[in-house]
Coordinates of all heavy atoms in Angstrom, one line a residue:
S1305 N 16.7 28.1 -65.5 CA 17.4 27.9 -64.3 C 16.7 27.9 -63.0 O 16.9 27.0 -62.0 CB 18.5 29.0 -64.1 OG 19.5 29.0 -65.3
L1306 N 15.6 28.7 -63.0 CA 14.7 28.7 -61.8 C 14.0 27.4 -61.6 O 13.8 26.9 -60.5 CB 13.7 30.0 -61.7 CG 12.7 30.0 -60.7 CD1 13.5 30.3 -59.4 CD2 11.8 31.2 -61.0
V1308 N 14.6 24.3 -62.6 CA 15.3 23.2 -62.1 C 15.8 23.5 -60.8 O 15.8 22.4 -59.9 CB 16.7 23.0 -63.1 CG1 16.2 22.6 -64.5 CG2 17.6 24.1 -63.0
T1309 N 16.0 24.6 -60.3 CA 16.4 24.9 -58.9 C 15.2 24.6 -58.0 O 15.3 24.0 -56.9 CB 16.8 26.4 -58.7 OG1 18.0 26.6 -59.6 CG2 17.3 26.6 -57.3
V1310 N 14.0 25.1 -58.3 CA 12.8 24.8 -57.6 C 12.5 23.3 -57.5 O 12.1 22.9 -56.4 CB 11.7 25.7 -58.0 CG1 10.3 25.3 -57.3 CG2 11.9 27.1 -57.8
L1311 N 12.6 22.8 -58.6 CA 12.4 21.3 -58.7 C 13.3 20.5 -57.8 O 13.0 19.6 -57.1 CB 12.4 20.8 -60.2 CG 12.1 19.4 -60.6 CD1 10.6 19.1 -60.1 CD2 12.3 19.2 -61.9
G1312 N 14.6 21.0 -57.7 CA 15.6 20.4 -56.8 C 15.2 20.4 -55.4 O 15.3 19.5 -54.6
I1313 N 14.6 21.6 -55.0 CA 14.2 21.8 -53.7 C 13.0 20.8 -53.2 O 13.0 20.2 -52.2 CB 13.7 23.2 -53.4 CG1 14.9 24.2 -53.5 CG2 13.1 23.4 -52.2 CD1 14.5 25.7 -53.5
L1314 N 12.1 20.7 -54.3 CA 10.8 20.1 -54.0 C 11.2 18.5 -53.9 O 10.8 17.7 -53.1 CB 9.8 20.1 -55.1 CG 9.3 21.5 -55.2 CD1 8.3 21.7 -56.5 CD2 8.3 21.8 -53.9
L1315 N 12.1 18.0 -54.8 CA 12.5 16.6 -54.8 C 13.2 16.2 -53.5 O 13.1 15.1 -53.0 CB 13.3 16.1 -56.1 CG 12.6 16.3 -57.5 CD1 13.6 16.0 -58.6 CD2 11.5 15.3 -57.5
H1316 N 14.1 17.1 -53.1 CA 14.8 16.9 -51.8 C 13.8 16.7 -50.7 O 13.9 16.0 -49.8 CB 15.8 17.9 -51.5 CG 16.5 17.7 -50.3 ND1 17.6 17.0 -50.1 CD2 16.3 18.4 -49.0 CE1 17.9 17.0 -48.8 NE2 17.2 17.9 -48.1
F1317 N 12.7 17.7 -50.7 CA 11.8 17.7 -49.6 C 11.0 16.4 -49.5 O 10.8 15.9 -48.5 CB 10.8 18.9 -49.9 CG 9.7 18.9 -48.9 CD1 10.0 19.5 -47.6 CD2 8.4 18.4 -49.2 CE1 8.9 19.5 -46.7 CE2 7.4 18.6 -48.2 CZ 7.6 19.1 -47.0
F1399 N 35.5 25.0 -53.2 CA 34.1 24.8 -52.8 C 33.3 24.4 -54.1 O 32.4 23.6 -54.1 CB 33.7 26.1 -52.0 CG 32.1 26.1 -51.8 CD1 31.6 25.3 -50.7 CD2 31.3 26.8 -52.5 CE1 30.3 25.3 -50.4 CE2 30.0 26.8 -52.2 CZ 29.4 26.2 -51.3
V1403 N 31.2 21.1 -54.7 CA 29.7 21.1 -54.6 C 29.2 20.6 -55.9 O 28.2 19.8 -56.0 CB 29.1 22.5 -54.4 CG1 27.6 22.6 -54.5 CG2 29.4 23.0 -52.9
M1407 N 26.9 17.3 -56.0 CA 25.6 17.2 -56.6 C 25.4 16.2 -57.7 O 24.4 15.4 -57.8 CB 25.2 18.7 -57.1 CG 24.8 19.7 -56.0 SD 24.4 21.3 -56.8 CE 23.7 22.1 -55.4
D1412 N 21.2 15.2 -55.7 CA 20.5 16.1 -54.7 C 20.8 17.6 -55.3 O 22.0 18.1 -55.1 CB 21.2 15.9 -53.3 CG 20.4 16.6 -52.2 OD1 19.5 17.4 -52.6 OD2 20.6 16.2 -51.0
F1413 N 19.8 18.2 -55.7 CA 20.0 19.4 -56.2 C 19.2 20.5 -55.5 O 18.8 21.5 -56.0 CB 19.4 19.6 -57.6 CG 20.2 18.5 -58.5 CD1 19.4 17.4 -59.0 CD2 21.5 18.7 -58.9 CE1 20.2 16.4 -59.8 CE2 22.2 17.8 -59.8 CZ 21.5 16.7 -60.2
S1414 N 19.1 20.4 -54.2 CA 18.5 21.4 -53.3 C 19.4 22.6 -52.9 O 20.4 22.3 -52.3 CB 17.8 20.7 -52.1 OG 17.3 21.7 -51.3
V1415 N 19.0 23.8 -53.1 CA 19.8 24.9 -52.6 C 19.7 25.1 -51.1 O 20.4 25.9 -50.6 CB 19.4 26.2 -53.3 CG1 19.8 26.2 -54.8 CG2 18.0 26.6 -53.2
L1416 N 18.7 24.5 -50.5 CA 18.5 24.5 -49.1 C 19.4 23.4 -48.4 O 19.4 23.4 -47.1 CB 17.0 24.3 -48.8 CG 15.9 25.2 -49.4 CD1 14.6 24.8 -48.9 CD2 16.3 26.5 -48.9
H1417 N 20.2 22.6 -49.2 CA 20.9 21.6 -48.5 C 22.2 21.4 -49.3 O 22.5 20.4 -50.0 CB 20.2 20.3 -48.5 CG 20.6 19.1 -47.7 ND1 21.4 18.1 -48.4 CD2 20.7 18.8 -46.6 CE1 21.9 17.3 -47.5 NE2 21.3 17.6 -46.4
V1418 N 23.0 22.5 -49.3 CA 24.2 22.5 -50.3 C 25.5 22.2 -49.4 O 25.7 22.6 -48.3 CB 24.3 23.8 -50.7 CG1 25.6 23.9 -51.6 CG2 23.1 24.2 -51.6
G1419 N 26.2 21.4 -50.0 CA 27.5 21.0 -49.3 C 28.3 20.1 -50.4 O 27.8 19.8 -51.4
L1422 N 27.2 15.3 -50.2 CA 25.8 15.0 -50.4 C 25.5 13.5 -50.7 O 24.4 13.0 -50.5 CB 25.2 15.8 -51.5 CG 25.4 17.3 -51.3 CD1 24.9 18.1 -52.5 CD2 24.6 17.8 -50.1
V1435 N 24.9 21.9 -43.1 CA 24.5 22.1 -44.5 C 23.3 23.2 -44.3 O 22.7 23.2 -43.3 CB 24.1 21.0 -45.3 CG1 25.4 20.1 -45.6 CG2 23.0 20.1 -44.6
G1436 N 23.1 23.9 -45.3 CA 22.0 24.9 -45.3 C 21.9 25.5 -46.6 O 22.3 25.0 -47.6
F1437 N 21.2 26.7 -46.7 CA 21.0 27.4 -47.8 C 22.3 28.0 -48.3 O 23.1 28.6 -47.7 CB 20.0 28.5 -47.7 CG 19.9 29.4 -48.9 CD1 19.1 29.1 -50.0 CD2 20.4 30.7 -48.8 CE1 19.1 29.9 -51.1 CE2 20.5 31.6 -49.9 CZ 19.6 31.1 -51.0
Y1438 N 22.5 27.8 -49.7 CA 23.5 28.5 -50.4 C 23.0 28.8 -51.9 O 22.3 27.9 -52.4 CB 24.7 27.7 -50.5 CG 25.9 28.4 -51.1 CD1 26.7 29.3 -50.4 CD2 26.1 28.3 -52.5 CE1 27.7 30.0 -51.1 CE2 27.3 29.0 -53.1 CZ 28.1 29.8 -52.4 OH 28.9 30.5 -53.0
P1439 N 23.1 30.0 -52.3 CA 22.6 30.3 -53.8 C 23.4 29.5 -54.8 O 24.2 30.0 -55.5 CB 22.8 31.8 -53.9 CG 24.0 32.1 -52.9 CD 23.8 31.2 -51.7
A1440 N 22.8 28.2 -55.0 CA 23.6 27.2 -55.8 C 23.0 27.1 -57.1 O 23.3 25.9 -57.8 CB 23.8 26.0 -55.0
C1441 N 22.2 27.9 -57.7 CA 21.6 27.7 -59.0 C 22.6 27.4 -60.0 O 22.4 26.5 -60.9 CB 20.8 28.9 -59.3 SG 19.7 28.8 -60.8
W1442 N 23.7 28.2 -60.0 CA 24.7 28.0 -61.0 C 25.4 26.6 -60.9 O 25.6 26.1 -61.9 CB 25.8 29.2 -60.9 CG 27.0 28.9 -61.7 CD1 27.1 29.4 -63.0 CD2 28.2 28.3 -61.3 NE1 28.5 29.1 -63.4 CE2 29.1 28.3 -62.4 CE3 28.7 27.6 -60.2 CZ2 30.3 27.7 -62.3 CZ3 29.9 27.0 -60.1 CH2 30.7 27.1 -61.1
H1443 N 25.6 26.2 -59.6 CA 26.1 24.9 -59.5 C 25.2 23.9 -60.1 O 25.7 22.8 -60.4 CB 26.4 24.7 -57.9 CG 27.4 25.7 -57.3 ND1 26.9 26.9 -56.9 CD2 28.6 25.6 -57.0 CE1 27.9 27.6 -56.4 NE2 29.0 26.7 -56.4
I1444 N 23.9 24.0 -59.8 CA 23.0 23.0 -60.2 C 23.0 22.8 -61.8 O 23.1 21.6 -62.3 CB 21.6 23.4 -59.8 CG1 21.4 23.2 -58.4 CG2 20.5 22.4 -60.5 CD1 20.1 23.8 -57.8
V1445 N 23.2 23.8 -62.5 CA 23.3 23.8 -64.0 C 24.6 23.1 -64.4 O 24.6 22.3 -65.3 CB 23.3 25.3 -64.5 CG1 23.6 25.3 -66.0 CG2 21.9 25.9 -64.4
C1558 N 13.4 36.0 -58.1 CA 13.7 34.8 -57.3 C 14.9 34.1 -57.9 O 15.7 33.5 -57.1 CB 12.5 33.8 -57.5 SG 11.0 34.4 -56.7
C1559 N 15.0 33.9 -59.3 CA 16.2 33.3 -59.7 C 17.6 34.0 -59.4 O 18.5 33.4 -59.2 CB 16.0 33.2 -61.3 SG 17.4 32.3 -62.1
V1561 N 18.0 35.6 -56.7 CA 18.3 35.4 -55.3 C 19.0 34.0 -55.2 O 20.0 33.8 -54.4 CB 16.9 35.4 -54.5 CG1 17.3 34.8 -53.2 CG2 16.4 36.8 -54.5
L1562 N 18.6 33.1 -56.0 CA 19.2 31.7 -56.0 C 20.5 31.6 -56.7 O 21.1 30.6 -56.6 CB 18.1 30.7 -56.7 CG 16.8 30.7 -55.9 CD1 15.8 29.8 -56.7 CD2 17.0 30.0 -54.5
L1563 N 20.8 32.7 -57.6 CA 22.0 32.7 -58.2 C 23.1 33.4 -57.2 O 24.2 33.0 -56.9 CB 22.1 33.5 -59.5 CG 21.5 32.7 -60.6 CD1 21.2 33.7 -61.9 CD2 22.5 31.7 -61.2
Q1564 N 22.8 34.6 -56.7 CA 23.5 35.3 -55.8 C 22.6 36.6 -55.3 O 22.4 37.5 -56.1 CB 24.9 35.9 -56.4 CG 25.7 36.9 -55.7 CD 26.0 36.3 -54.1 OE1 25.3 36.8 -53.2 NE2 26.8 35.4 -54.1

Side-chain angles (χ1 to χ4, degrees):
S1305 299
L1306 177 67
V1308 297
T1309 304
V1310 173
L1311 188 57
I1313 295 173
L1314 293 175
L1315 291 176
H1316 177 82
F1317 178 79
F1399 173 78
V1403 168
M1407 281 184 170
D1412 188 345
F1413 303 107
S1414 172
V1415 296
L1416 303 180
H1417 188 262
V1418 177
L1422 301 177
V1435 293
F1437 170 76
Y1438 185 84
C1441 181
W1442 172 89
H1443 298 82
I1444 293 172
V1445 173
C1558 292
C1559 184
V1561 172
L1562 297 173
L1563 281 166
Q1564 173 51 257

